[in-house]
Amino acid sequence: AMKYRCIIPVSYFVEGPKVAKLSEPYIIRRIDKAPIPLAGFFSWIEGVKHVAIITTPASDLLLKGVGHHRSPMIVDEDNEGLWLDQQAPKEELEQLFGRFDSKPFEAVAVSKKISSPNRSDRPNSSKDMLNPVGDTMRMNSKGEITYVQNEIKTEGGQASLF
């Protein structure tokens, strides 16, 4: 059983529509590109560290925009100490579970290559997998999906869509 709560910082996470799954992948990231603190558990079992990321119901961006029903649990900066406090009361921790605020986030459609298994003969870690293949979705202050057109920028002779 997972024993300790932890925070797993990530740059983005990948989701796709519930029906199409990762054949239509999106990276979900903060608009300001800051790390995303995901809630997790870890434990040592027979000398091996095991980690699990907690999922919660999807935010509006994932549900309305991407069409996905769940997301990793994101811990607000104000609640990181509470989440990491192994003695925190269950009632206080339960208040952290729920949808995250979509406004600081965006969903970027990316190549389905991102969902390919990572193999030594065919690594899936190239940066081109993060290049947008469509417009970027964001939530406006009214809770509506808006689209931001991605522009191609030239940096040092190479094209970049970021």
Side-chain angles (χ1 to χ4, degrees), residues 18 29 39 67-69 76 89 100 106 108 110 113-114 118 131-132 139 144 150 152 155-156:
K18 186 175 179 182
R29 64 181 181 195
H68 198 77
H69 63 291
D76 291 332
F100 64 87
E106 61 187 5
V108 182
V110 294
K113 289 180 190 176
I114 202 164
N118 194 15
N131 286 342
M139 298 293 295
E144 304 164 328
N150 293 304
I152 297 177
E155 296 177 19

mmCIF file of all heavy atoms in Angstrom, residues 18 29 39 67-69 76 89 100 106 108 110 113-114 118 131-132 139 144 150 152 155-156:
data_model
loop_
_atom_site.group_PDB
_atom_site.id
_atom_site.type_symbol
_atom_site.label_atom_id
_atom_site.label_comp_id
_atom_site.label_asym_id
_atom_site.label_seq_id
_atom_site.Cartn_x
_atom_site.Cartn_y
_atom_site.Cartn_z
ATOM 1 N N LYS A 18 -11.912 11.054 -24.179
ATOM 2 C CA LYS A 18 -12.241 9.755 -23.589
ATOM 3 C C LYS A 18 -12.428 8.686 -24.667
ATOM 4 O O LYS A 18 -11.975 7.566 -24.522
ATOM 5 C CB LYS A 18 -13.506 9.877 -22.741
ATOM 6 C CG LYS A 18 -13.825 8.614 -21.975
ATOM 7 C CD LYS A 18 -15.007 8.804 -21.057
ATOM 8 C CE LYS A 18 -15.299 7.508 -20.319
ATOM 9 N NZ LYS A 18 -16.444 7.607 -19.459
ATOM 10 N N ARG A 29 -0.636 22.227 -19.881
ATOM 11 C CA ARG A 29 0.459 22.916 -19.203
ATOM 12 C C ARG A 29 -0.033 24.261 -18.695
ATOM 13 O O ARG A 29 -1.088 24.749 -19.110
ATOM 14 C CB ARG A 29 1.640 23.109 -20.143
ATOM 15 C CG ARG A 29 1.314 24.009 -21.318
ATOM 16 C CD ARG A 29 2.469 24.163 -22.250
ATOM 17 N NE ARG A 29 2.098 25.060 -23.344
ATOM 18 C CZ ARG A 29 2.774 25.178 -24.460
ATOM 19 N NH1 ARG A 29 3.858 24.451 -24.649
ATOM 20 N NH2 ARG A 29 2.372 26.009 -25.395
ATOM 21 N N ALA A 39 -0.408 15.776 -7.048
ATOM 22 C CA ALA A 39 -0.503 15.056 -5.785
ATOM 23 C C ALA A 39 -0.248 13.575 -6.031
ATOM 24 O O ALA A 39 -0.764 12.998 -6.985
ATOM 25 C CB ALA A 39 -1.886 15.251 -5.169
ATOM 26 N N GLY A 67 -12.361 16.841 -23.756
ATOM 27 C CA GLY A 67 -13.325 15.744 -23.740
ATOM 28 C C GLY A 67 -12.873 14.579 -22.883
ATOM 29 O O GLY A 67 -13.184 13.429 -23.145
ATOM 30 N N HIS A 68 -12.105 14.889 -21.827
ATOM 31 C CA HIS A 68 -11.608 13.836 -20.940
ATOM 32 C C HIS A 68 -12.274 13.977 -19.578
ATOM 33 O O HIS A 68 -12.519 15.076 -19.107
ATOM 34 C CB HIS A 68 -10.086 13.917 -20.818
ATOM 35 C CG HIS A 68 -9.467 12.674 -20.293
ATOM 36 N ND1 HIS A 68 -9.295 11.555 -21.082
ATOM 37 C CD2 HIS A 68 -9.001 12.347 -19.075
ATOM 38 C CE1 HIS A 68 -8.732 10.595 -20.353
ATOM 39 N NE2 HIS A 68 -8.544 11.060 -19.120
ATOM 40 N N HIS A 69 -12.527 12.870 -18.921
ATOM 41 C CA HIS A 69 -13.330 12.833 -17.704
ATOM 42 C C HIS A 69 -12.555 12.957 -16.390
ATOM 43 O O HIS A 69 -13.150 13.109 -15.343
ATOM 44 C CB HIS A 69 -14.147 11.539 -17.675
ATOM 45 C CG HIS A 69 -13.293 10.308 -17.621
ATOM 46 N ND1 HIS A 69 -12.506 9.911 -18.682
ATOM 47 C CD2 HIS A 69 -13.089 9.413 -16.643
ATOM 48 C CE1 HIS A 69 -11.862 8.809 -18.351
ATOM 49 N NE2 HIS A 69 -12.193 8.482 -17.121
ATOM 50 N N ASP A 76 -2.686 23.235 -5.139
ATOM 51 C CA ASP A 76 -2.402 24.672 -5.148
ATOM 52 C C ASP A 76 -1.200 24.955 -4.248
ATOM 53 O O ASP A 76 -1.009 24.297 -3.224
ATOM 54 C CB ASP A 76 -3.597 25.469 -4.614
ATOM 55 C CG ASP A 76 -4.783 25.437 -5.551
ATOM 56 O OD1 ASP A 76 -4.577 25.291 -6.772
ATOM 57 O OD2 ASP A 76 -5.914 25.547 -5.052
ATOM 58 N N PRO A 89 -5.186 16.218 9.292
ATOM 59 C CA PRO A 89 -6.479 15.556 9.473
ATOM 60 C C PRO A 89 -7.134 15.213 8.124
ATOM 61 O O PRO A 89 -7.064 15.982 7.168
ATOM 62 C CB PRO A 89 -7.320 16.593 10.222
ATOM 63 C CG PRO A 89 -6.356 17.597 10.750
ATOM 64 C CD PRO A 89 -5.154 17.552 9.865
ATOM 65 N N PHE A 100 -9.410 21.377 -10.616
ATOM 66 C CA PHE A 100 -8.517 22.531 -10.506
ATOM 67 C C PHE A 100 -9.041 23.665 -11.375
ATOM 68 O O PHE A 100 -9.815 23.454 -12.303
ATOM 69 C CB PHE A 100 -7.070 22.159 -10.866
ATOM 70 C CG PHE A 100 -6.852 21.707 -12.292
ATOM 71 C CD1 PHE A 100 -6.603 22.621 -13.297
ATOM 72 C CD2 PHE A 100 -6.876 20.351 -12.613
ATOM 73 C CE1 PHE A 100 -6.384 22.207 -14.607
ATOM 74 C CE2 PHE A 100 -6.656 19.927 -13.910
ATOM 75 C CZ PHE A 100 -6.416 20.859 -14.912
ATOM 76 N N GLU A 106 -3.518 25.671 -20.348
ATOM 77 C CA GLU A 106 -3.897 25.573 -21.754
ATOM 78 C C GLU A 106 -3.726 24.132 -22.207
ATOM 79 O O GLU A 106 -2.957 23.373 -21.630
ATOM 80 C CB GLU A 106 -3.064 26.522 -22.623
ATOM 81 C CG GLU A 106 -1.577 26.279 -22.609
ATOM 82 C CD GLU A 106 -0.790 27.352 -23.344
ATOM 83 O OE1 GLU A 106 -1.371 28.359 -23.801
ATOM 84 O OE2 GLU A 106 0.435 27.181 -23.469
ATOM 85 N N VAL A 108 -2.817 21.960 -25.543
ATOM 86 C CA VAL A 108 -2.169 22.090 -26.846
ATOM 87 C C VAL A 108 -2.237 20.753 -27.574
ATOM 88 O O VAL A 108 -1.712 19.753 -27.078
ATOM 89 C CB VAL A 108 -0.690 22.525 -26.674
ATOM 90 C CG1 VAL A 108 -0.029 22.715 -28.033
ATOM 91 C CG2 VAL A 108 -0.577 23.774 -25.816
ATOM 92 N N VAL A 110 -1.070 17.979 -29.851
ATOM 93 C CA VAL A 110 0.276 17.596 -30.278
ATOM 94 C C VAL A 110 0.212 16.293 -31.086
ATOM 95 O O VAL A 110 -0.822 15.637 -31.151
ATOM 96 C CB VAL A 110 1.237 17.435 -29.075
ATOM 97 C CG1 VAL A 110 1.473 18.766 -28.384
ATOM 98 C CG2 VAL A 110 0.725 16.403 -28.091
ATOM 99 N N LYS A 113 2.552 10.858 -31.913
ATOM 100 C CA LYS A 113 3.823 10.185 -31.622
ATOM 101 C C LYS A 113 4.119 10.204 -30.124
ATOM 102 O O LYS A 113 4.817 9.347 -29.620
ATOM 103 C CB LYS A 113 4.986 10.876 -32.342
ATOM 104 C CG LYS A 113 5.011 10.688 -33.832
ATOM 105 C CD LYS A 113 6.212 11.427 -34.392
ATOM 106 C CE LYS A 113 6.188 11.506 -35.890
ATOM 107 N NZ LYS A 113 7.311 12.316 -36.398
ATOM 108 N N ILE A 114 3.564 11.185 -29.418
ATOM 109 C CA ILE A 114 3.829 11.322 -27.982
ATOM 110 C C ILE A 114 3.311 10.122 -27.198
ATOM 111 O O ILE A 114 3.789 9.821 -26.117
ATOM 112 C CB ILE A 114 3.269 12.646 -27.426
ATOM 113 C CG1 ILE A 114 3.995 13.023 -26.146
ATOM 114 C CG2 ILE A 114 1.762 12.579 -27.214
ATOM 115 C CD1 ILE A 114 3.801 14.447 -25.715
ATOM 116 N N ASN A 118 8.188 4.221 -25.366
ATOM 117 C CA ASN A 118 9.576 4.666 -25.403
ATOM 118 C C ASN A 118 10.479 3.440 -25.477
ATOM 119 O O ASN A 118 10.472 2.620 -24.579
ATOM 120 C CB ASN A 118 9.884 5.493 -24.148
ATOM 121 C CG ASN A 118 11.178 6.254 -24.277
ATOM 122 O OD1 ASN A 118 11.716 6.398 -25.361
ATOM 123 N ND2 ASN A 118 11.671 6.742 -23.162
ATOM 124 N N ASN A 131 5.478 19.949 -30.429
ATOM 125 C CA ASN A 131 5.040 21.012 -31.339
ATOM 126 C C ASN A 131 3.533 20.924 -31.553
ATOM 127 O O ASN A 131 2.996 19.845 -31.804
ATOM 128 C CB ASN A 131 5.749 20.915 -32.688
ATOM 129 C CG ASN A 131 7.185 21.369 -32.625
ATOM 130 O OD1 ASN A 131 7.593 22.049 -31.690
ATOM 131 N ND2 ASN A 131 7.961 20.984 -33.617
ATOM 132 N N PRO A 132 2.843 22.061 -31.464
ATOM 133 C CA PRO A 132 1.399 22.056 -31.691
ATOM 134 C C PRO A 132 1.044 21.603 -33.100
ATOM 135 O O PRO A 132 1.750 21.902 -34.059
ATOM 136 C CB PRO A 132 1.006 23.521 -31.499
ATOM 137 C CG PRO A 132 2.104 24.115 -30.699
ATOM 138 C CD PRO A 132 3.344 23.378 -31.091
ATOM 139 N N MET A 139 -9.358 28.619 -21.231
ATOM 140 C CA MET A 139 -10.648 29.013 -20.663
ATOM 141 C C MET A 139 -10.623 30.524 -20.439
ATOM 142 O O MET A 139 -9.650 31.048 -19.903
ATOM 143 C CB MET A 139 -10.894 28.322 -19.315
ATOM 144 C CG MET A 139 -10.974 26.822 -19.366
ATOM 145 S SD MET A 139 -12.398 26.167 -20.245
ATOM 146 C CE MET A 139 -13.736 26.698 -19.227
ATOM 147 N N GLU A 144 -15.678 29.821 -20.752
ATOM 148 C CA GLU A 144 -15.857 29.338 -22.123
ATOM 149 C C GLU A 144 -14.498 28.980 -22.725
ATOM 150 O O GLU A 144 -13.490 29.600 -22.396
ATOM 151 C CB GLU A 144 -16.507 30.429 -22.987
ATOM 152 C CG GLU A 144 -17.818 30.929 -22.451
ATOM 153 C CD GLU A 144 -18.249 32.245 -23.082
ATOM 154 O OE1 GLU A 144 -17.383 33.074 -23.448
ATOM 155 O OE2 GLU A 144 -19.467 32.440 -23.186
ATOM 156 N N ASN A 150 -1.595 29.205 -32.988
ATOM 157 C CA ASN A 150 -0.154 29.061 -32.803
ATOM 158 C C ASN A 150 0.562 29.636 -34.009
ATOM 159 O O ASN A 150 0.228 29.331 -35.139
ATOM 160 C CB ASN A 150 0.218 27.581 -32.642
ATOM 161 C CG ASN A 150 -0.331 27.015 -31.353
ATOM 162 O OD1 ASN A 150 -0.047 27.536 -30.294
ATOM 163 N ND2 ASN A 150 -1.145 25.986 -31.452
ATOM 164 N N ILE A 152 4.165 30.264 -36.108
ATOM 165 C CA ILE A 152 5.488 29.667 -36.305
ATOM 166 C C ILE A 152 6.523 30.770 -36.157
ATOM 167 O O ILE A 152 6.447 31.806 -36.805
ATOM 168 C CB ILE A 152 5.604 29.000 -37.692
ATOM 169 C CG1 ILE A 152 4.598 27.853 -37.782
ATOM 170 C CG2 ILE A 152 7.018 28.514 -37.937
ATOM 171 C CD1 ILE A 152 4.565 27.163 -39.118
ATOM 172 N N GLU A 155 13.795 30.558 -34.934
ATOM 173 C CA GLU A 155 14.875 30.785 -33.968
ATOM 174 C C GLU A 155 16.102 30.054 -34.461
ATOM 175 O O GLU A 155 16.107 28.841 -34.565
ATOM 176 C CB GLU A 155 14.475 30.238 -32.593
ATOM 177 C CG GLU A 155 13.277 30.948 -31.992
ATOM 178 C CD GLU A 155 12.870 30.322 -30.668
ATOM 179 O OE1 GLU A 155 13.683 29.617 -30.056
ATOM 180 O OE2 GLU A 155 11.728 30.547 -30.270
ATOM 181 N N GLY A 156 17.130 30.806 -34.768
ATOM 182 C CA GLY A 156 18.390 30.185 -35.194
ATOM 183 C C GLY A 156 18.244 29.304 -36.423
ATOM 184 O O GLY A 156 18.885 28.285 -36.530
#
